[in-house]
Amino acid sequence: MQRLDHVFILTGAGISAESGLGTFRDVGGIWAAFDPMTLATPEAFARDPDTVQAFYDARRRNLLAAEPNPAHHALARLEAGLAARGGRLTLVTQNIDDLHERAGHREVLHMHGALLEARCVACEAVTEVRSDLSTADACGACGRTGVLRPNVVWFGEIPFHLDEIEERLMAADLFVAIGTSGAVYPAAGLVGAARRAGIATREINLEPSDTAHLFDAADYGRASETVPRWVEDVLGPDAPSQERSAPPHRTRSSTET
Ligand code: OAD
């Protein structure tokens, strides 16, 4: 395989499916059971905050009971393996879970935010949250009540880190999309941007996504099998294949740049 100096990876719900977290658009997916317009928009939150909080509370409880799977662990090995030989991995995720971090990934750009964070709509303070959120809770920074929301990006809101994502993509040798349907923009537009810049593209997914025709290469199957196999190919036979102990990681979900 060609030596890669900078790999850019975009992950979606499919990478966490085998950890027991639901995807959105598959049969039985989250948006098949729930209407996103009543749960994942600023208007829905303004109209009925308790229902929106209850939806995210249930997802947060599921997340806290979940574990990273072999695909998350393989990407953490790839980050460490590329760094050890002077290369770089940019990992951008649409997922609001923290399974990449728990697998030992050091830097993750959460373009759709983080479920384990709350944001104050009054003072913009972002705090960690591991329990249910209620409109009665007070913001730890400004003390006001009724102001905490999950620090996630809702439909109609602008994803986080867009400038940095574009800059990192333009510096990459390879763009890889893993476990995403290619249905939600701007994330779904990254493969087209990569192609226009002459960057090689690869899709790793259960089945061809909506943007499958834009990829130069593809691996189809369960992420827990396809991702470790591809990572071993990139790192080569000398790379350690055991899981590394988790170094300190950085979660980057909010307005931090
Ligand atoms: P989707 O549910 O749209 O797509 C998940 C993709 O993962 C599909 O193409 C599945 O075929 C694939 N998949 C399922 N199981 C898999 C497995 N075991 N291994 C590999 N692939 C598998 O999820 P996303 O593309 O992440 O945004 O959705 C994008 C955004 O839409 C989400 O971030 C969320 C949602 O609305 C917001 O909430 C803002």
Side-chain angles (χ1 to χ4, degrees):
M1 179 175 274
Q2 170 213 345
R3 189 192 150 90
L4 296 165
D5 288 324
H6 185 168
V7 177
F8 183 114
I9 293 178
L10 170 71
T11 60
I15 197 164
S16 298
E18 291 165 74
S19 294
L21 303 184
T23 58
F24 295 94
R25 293 170 185 79
D26 296 299
V27 175
I30 295 171
W31 296 152
F34 302 101
D35 175 5
M37 293 305 123
T38 64
L39 294 168
T41 66
E43 295 76 20
F45 187 62
R47 208 168 37 236
D48 186 356
D50 291 337
T51 298
V52 173
Q53 299 283 28
F55 171 69
Y56 286 96
D57 287 346
R59 292 182 63 191
R60 192 179 300 107
R61 281 184 236 127
N62 277 348
L63 171 56
L64 290 170
E67 296 291 339
N69 68 54
H72 300 102
H73 287 294
L75 293 189
R77 281 200 302 281
L78 180 61
E79 180 186 53
L82 288 174
R85 64 191 200 200
R88 183 178 200 188
L89 173 61
T90 292
L91 178 63
V92 174
T93 187
Q94 298 166 88
N95 298 342
I96 59 177
D97 66 56
D98 66 338
L99 298 183
H100 286 302
E101 287 90 343
R102 278 199 260 153
H105 220 101
R106 291 178 65 98
E107 188 195 42
V108 185
L109 294 171
H110 280 268
M111 68 184 294
H112 289 168
L115 186 55
L116 300 184
E117 289 177 355
R119 185 167 85 240
C120 173
V121 296
C123 75
E124 293 295 315
V126 172
T127 46
E128 190 186 13
V129 57
R130 302 184 75 83
S131 51
D132 291 356
L133 270 182
S134 141
T135 44
D137 292 337
C139 168
C142 71
R144 285 186 242 185
T145 51
V147 288
L148 293 182
R149 59 166 278 183
N151 191 27
V152 300
V153 174
W154 284 326
F155 290 97
E157 297 183 320
I158 298 171
F160 299 136
H161 308 302
L162 290 182
D163 290 346
E164 186 170 5
I165 288 170
E166 190 188 345
E167 196 182 301
R168 299 266 203 115
L169 178 62
M170 289 304 118
D173 309 312
L174 174 66
F175 170 82
V176 186
I178 301 176
T180 178
S181 61
V184 172
Y185 286 80
L190 293 178
V191 61
R195 263 183 98 82
R196 285 191 294 280
I199 298 163
T201 57
R202 182 178 208 95
E203 163 157 281
I204 302 179
N205 207 37
L206 193 58
E207 55 198 20
S209 70
D210 293 359
T211 52
H213 59 287
L214 295 174
F215 290 90
D216 303 320
D219 304 299
Y220 295 121
R222 289 146 51 104
S224 62
E225 292 161 11
T226 51
V227 175
R229 200 159 53 224
W230 171 72
V231 166
E232 298 314 315
D233 274 359
V234 172
L235 291 180
D238 300 333
S241 60
Q242 287 166 342
E243 289 169 18
R244 286 158 191 273
S245 58
H249 63 255
R250 301 184 64 204
T251 300
R252 300 189 51 194
S253 62
S254 61
T255 48
E256 180 194 351
T257 53

